[in-house]
Amino acid sequence: MTRARAAQAQFASWPQDRVDDLVAAVGWWCYREDNVRTMSALAYQGTGLGDPEDLFALHRKRILGTMRDLHGARTVGVLADDPELGLRTLAKPLGVVALITPATAPC
């Protein structure tokens, strides 16, 4: 948690293009066959649910789907600006997100 919070503080001021590059790098790292096989095996060992090969295919699809959903999404800076109402919506990192309970699709 300490390392995650330190990383958050470091990239909190990054521009959108740099954040996009980071997210893509993490996504492609997670998509690597060896990493997905490891994560799928760990999910199966931790839960006893599903089949490791089916989990492998599921994880790869979900990783690609998440990367597709995030591509082009505005996640940094001003999201909306309404000068008439004096409102501005800003995007910024809020904190570390972690999964506590066993899951069959942690990827």
Side-chain angles (χ1 to χ4, degrees):
M1 290 298 288
T2 301
R3 288 174 43 203
R5 287 189 177 118
Q8 175 192 352
Q10 182 178 358
F11 69 75
S13 62
W14 284 7
Q16 185 69 58
D17 62 333
R18 192 164 180 200
V19 172
D20 291 345
D21 290 346
L22 172 68
V23 170
V26 170
W28 287 118
W29 184 90
C30 290
Y31 188 75
R32 283 180 31 186
E33 182 175 349
D34 57 330
N35 293 329
V36 178
R37 289 209 180 275
T38 299
M39 289 184 282
S40 299
L42 288 170
Y44 178 74
Q45 290 170 358
T47 65
L49 301 173
D51 172 76
E53 280 305 307
D54 292 340
L55 291 172
F56 170 79
L58 173 68
H59 288 255
R60 285 198 114 187
K61 286 180 191 173
R62 286 192 175 171
I63 292 165
L64 284 180
T66 300
M67 289 174 60
R68 179 201 62 223
D69 293 347
L70 291 174
H71 182 74
R74 185 94 180 127
T75 60
V76 173
V78 178
L79 297 180
D81 193 9
D82 188 342
E84 199 172 289
L85 293 176
L87 298 175
R88 181 177 283 166
T89 304
L90 303 173
K92 67 176 190 166
L94 293 177
V96 177
V97 177
L99 183 68
I100 297 171
T101 61
T104 57
C107 300

